[in-house]
Amino acid sequence: MDTRPIGVYDSGVGGLTGLRALMRMLPDENYLYFSDSGRMPYGPRPLGDLRRIAVQDMDYLASFGVKAILAACGTISSAAKEEIGAYPIPAFGVLTPALDAMAAVPGDGPLAVLATAASIRSGEFTEALRKKCGMCREIVGVSCPEFAPLIESGRIRRSDPAVQECVQRALKPVRGIKFDAILLGCTHYGFIEDAIRDCLGEDVKLMSAADCGARALRDYLAAHELTGGERHAPRYFVSGDTSAFEAFAEPYLQAGPVHAEQAPIMEI
Ligand code: DGL
């Protein structure tokens, strides 16, 4: 047993989807969440910046004595695979577990990945999935650069015309294609799942990269006897607007009051 906290981070509220998945799977753990919203969005940033950010964010969480880290961010997970893998504290991204889950989807119909510009540009999701699935399965990557900033601004309701327009615009090239599964490769996208379904079809199979990453971390902790057993209220650190974060996180997590502590904006 190890009662040290688990650290989870993202550029903003997106990683809360990973945190909530973890809190449900491992309710007797302590959690620290870092929202780097002062530097959000990560999606348009160059690779070198993203790699440095990944290490800075992990160092920040490590300074609180975490036992393990989840990079609950598709952009960081794809840009900084090596940095995450080599980190001195066990650290996981969402990329590899999400690819494994997608490659296991039965059938030979097309698969899609929705993610940020950096994630799609890197090819880490789409090329790796092509390799895993073989040539007979079509893999389509869709860059959705407007989604995460809109969600971060608090606009997530399926009835919100701004959400509907944004989703329709980004997904227009793939409307009408019958995908076997679609990966939400950016952790923010879980918040607009309903609007995505409205656009692509109610019965479309959506897979959450955040959930896949959370499961991988849970399995690791269990296999290494590192699970906790002494639960405290989670702590939240935010490099941007703390009250906007609190207003977003509290109703979503339903885990008691959310009090966010101000984190520094680190220089890249
Ligand atoms: N939540 C993020 C991801 O999973 C990052 C969004 C952004 O900052 O652009 O990719």
Side-chain angles (χ1 to χ4, degrees), residues 134-149:
M135 293 313 283
C136 51
R137 196 159 202 178
E138 192 190 353
I139 310 293
V140 180
V142 185
S143 167
C144 309
E146 293 176 51
F147 284 11

Side-chain angles (χ1 to χ4, degrees), residues 196-213:
I196 293 172
R197 281 186 193 285
D198 288 344
C199 179
L200 296 182
E202 201 50 49
D203 57 343
V204 67
K205 185 179 172 61
L206 297 180
M207 313 266 286
S208 152
D211 287 355
C212 297

Side-chain angles (χ1 to χ4, degrees), residues 10-11 14-15 40-44 72-75 116 119 148 185-188:
D10 179 43
S11 66
M40 204 267 167
Y42 285 174
C73 173
T75 308
T116 63
S119 295
C186 167
T187 54
H188 276 77

